[in-house]
Amino acid sequence: MSAILELLNIKSSGSLTCRSYQNLTFFCPFHLHPEYELVFIDRGHIEAFVGNQQHFLTQSELQLVASNIPHSFKLEGENQTAFLSKYMHVDPIILESLSPMIEFSFIQLLKQRFECGAVYKLNKEMKKQYLEVFHEHGAPRVLALLAFFIKLMNYQPVRYACDNYLLSNQTNYVMNQVIINAKSDLTLSQMASNINMSTSTLNRILKKAVGMSYVELVNHARVNLACNLLREGISTITEIGFDVGFKSSSQFNKVFKLSMKISPRSYRDSYQKLIPIEKNYDDLTWDVGEHS
C-alpha cells in the first residue's frame, strides 16, 4: 500500500496544533506528513499502522510518530462507547531549533523514539500534563509541550511500533521539497534541478521511501490537500481542483477517483453525512487549539 502525502491544512495554528476526535467509528487513510505527531487515546481503543507494523492503541496510551513516517488509524465494528483521541501535530522546527543546546540534549533521544514509533502508557500525572498543553495557546503552549517532553523522558516506552522504518535525512529533505511545491507546476526535471539531484536519483529515493514516482507523489499530495478542502465544504469542487494544482476539472476528477476510489463530489457528500461541516462542528471538539 502506498502512503498518501498529507498536507496539513491548519488555519492560524502556528507550529503546534492540538486536536480532539470523538466517534464510534474512525478511519484515517495510510498517509505521512512532515510534522511530528502525538496520538493519545483518552477513551476506547484503535487499530494503528505505523511504519512497518500493526498494533492496537488502548486507553491511556500515547503513540509518537516521526516526520514522514507512514501511518494509518482505523476503528470498525459495533462500539458501545465513543472512541476519544487527543492528538498533536508539531512542527519539526521546535525540536530542531533546540536540539543543539546542551540543556536540551535529551531531544536527540526523543527524536529517536519518535522515529521508532514509541508507545507510552501515561499515568494520571502524565495524562494531566499532556492535556495541559491543550489548554494553553501560543508560546505558553510550546513551553507546556517541552515541559511534558522533559518528564516523558523519565519513562520507558512500553513498545515500539516501527523499529526498522527510518528514513534518511536526504529522503526527508526530498519529500519535504515535494510537499512545499505540490501545488506548483514543477516537472520532475525542474524539481531535480532545484535540489541538485538527477531525475533518476530523485525517482529512486521516492520509490524506495513510499513506493511512488515523483508524479504519483505530487498527485497524491494534491488529492490529500483536496480532501481537506472538500471536508471544509466552502469552495466548489472546480475551485478546489484548480487551487491544489490541477489543470482542469476532468484531470482533478480522474486523479482523485483513481486515488480515493470515489469522486470528489461523492467524497464530500459522504463526509458531510458522517460528520458535520467543520465550521458548524463543536469547536472545542474539532480543534481546541484555535479557541480560548
Side-chain angles (χ1 to χ4, degrees):
M1 182 185 298
S2 295
I4 298 175
L5 192 67
E6 181 181 17
L7 296 170
L8 296 179
N9 186 29
I10 304 170
K11 298 180 178 65
S12 65
S13 58
S15 55
L16 172 57
T17 297
C18 299
R19 287 186 168 181
S20 177
Y21 182 87
Q22 177 175 290
N23 210 329
L24 292 174
T25 61
F26 180 66
F27 176 65
C28 176
F30 202 54
H31 68 295
L32 51 89
H33 45 71
E35 291 78 10
Y36 286 88
E37 184 169 346
L38 296 88
V39 180
F40 176 67
I41 309 303
D42 200 5
R43 184 171 62 244
H45 68 277
I46 196 166
E47 188 175 7
F49 303 82
V50 181
N52 57 5
Q53 292 190 26
Q54 170 191 7
H55 67 121
F56 280 90
L57 289 174
T58 59
Q59 189 165 313
S60 297
E61 288 192 331
L62 174 70
Q63 170 82 68
L64 305 186
V65 183
S67 172
N68 293 326
I69 294 291
H71 56 287
S72 172
F73 300 100
K74 180 176 67 173
L75 177 62
E76 297 177 335
E78 297 181 0
N79 300 289
Q80 301 300 320
T81 304
F83 158 79
L84 175 61
S85 172
K86 303 278 188 177
Y87 63 100
M88 305 183 197
H89 287 125
V90 183
D91 193 316
I93 196 171
I94 293 179
L95 300 183
E96 298 297 339
S97 61
L98 295 174
S99 58
M101 303 180 189
I102 186 75
E103 294 84 356
F104 293 94
S105 57
F106 71 90
I107 285 180
Q108 290 301 325
L109 178 57
L110 176 64
K111 287 167 62 179
Q112 290 176 17
R113 291 186 177 176
F114 266 103
E115 290 168 349
C116 292
V119 177
Y120 292 86
K121 187 79 170 181
L122 300 190
N123 57 30
K124 289 184 178 179
E125 178 187 357
M126 289 301 294
K127 175 183 175 179
K128 180 181 178 181
Q129 184 151 8
Y130 180 83
L131 296 180
E132 282 177 358
V133 181
F134 287 68
H135 299 152
E136 299 291 349
H137 304 273
R141 166 172 285 181
V142 176
L143 294 176
L145 176 65
L146 291 175
F148 172 77
F149 281 154
I150 290 172
K151 281 199 173 182
L152 185 67
M153 297 311 291
N154 293 323
Y155 296 85
Q156 290 296 317
V158 294
R159 63 184 180 278
Y160 293 95
C162 54
D163 52 1
N164 57 29
Y165 194 105
L166 302 180
L167 300 181
S168 68
N169 290 334
Q170 182 188 46
T171 302
N172 277 329
Y173 174 72
V174 169
M175 297 178 72
N176 284 332
Q177 289 301 306
V178 173
I179 292 172
I180 293 169
N181 295 283
K183 293 167 63 175
S184 71
D185 296 324
L186 290 179
T187 64
L188 171 62
S189 297
Q190 290 170 325
M191 173 59 77
S193 176
N194 286 352
I195 58 179
N196 298 314
M197 189 177 291
S198 69
T199 56
S200 59
T201 300
L202 174 55
N203 255 334
R204 185 173 67 251
I205 288 174
L206 295 178
K207 279 284 189 181
K208 181 178 180 181
V210 290
M212 288 182 276
S213 68
Y214 171 74
V215 173
E216 290 170 332
L217 193 55
V218 169
N219 281 337
H220 273 297
R222 290 174 175 174
V223 166
N224 202 63
L225 181 55
C227 287
N228 289 332
L229 297 177
L230 289 166
R231 290 195 298 267
E232 287 182 356
I234 299 173
S235 302
T236 67
I237 291 174
T238 299
E239 289 172 339
I240 290 172
F242 285 114
D243 285 346
V244 301
F246 291 103
K247 295 296 187 182
S248 66
S249 296
S250 59
Q251 183 194 27
F252 172 45
N253 277 276
K254 180 180 178 180
V255 173
F256 190 96
K257 193 168 185 178
L258 182 65
S259 176
M260 302 297 292
K261 312 304 180 187
I262 190 174
S263 70
R265 185 176 304 279
S266 296
Y267 176 88
R268 183 185 64 184
D269 292 346
S270 62
Y271 184 85
Q272 290 178 5
K273 288 178 182 177
L274 177 65
I275 300 174
I277 298 175
E278 290 171 15
K279 64 182 179 182
N280 295 324
Y281 202 50
D282 179 355
D283 289 337
L284 292 178
T285 301
W286 171 243
D287 191 343
V288 297
E290 301 301 334
H291 312 280
S292 58

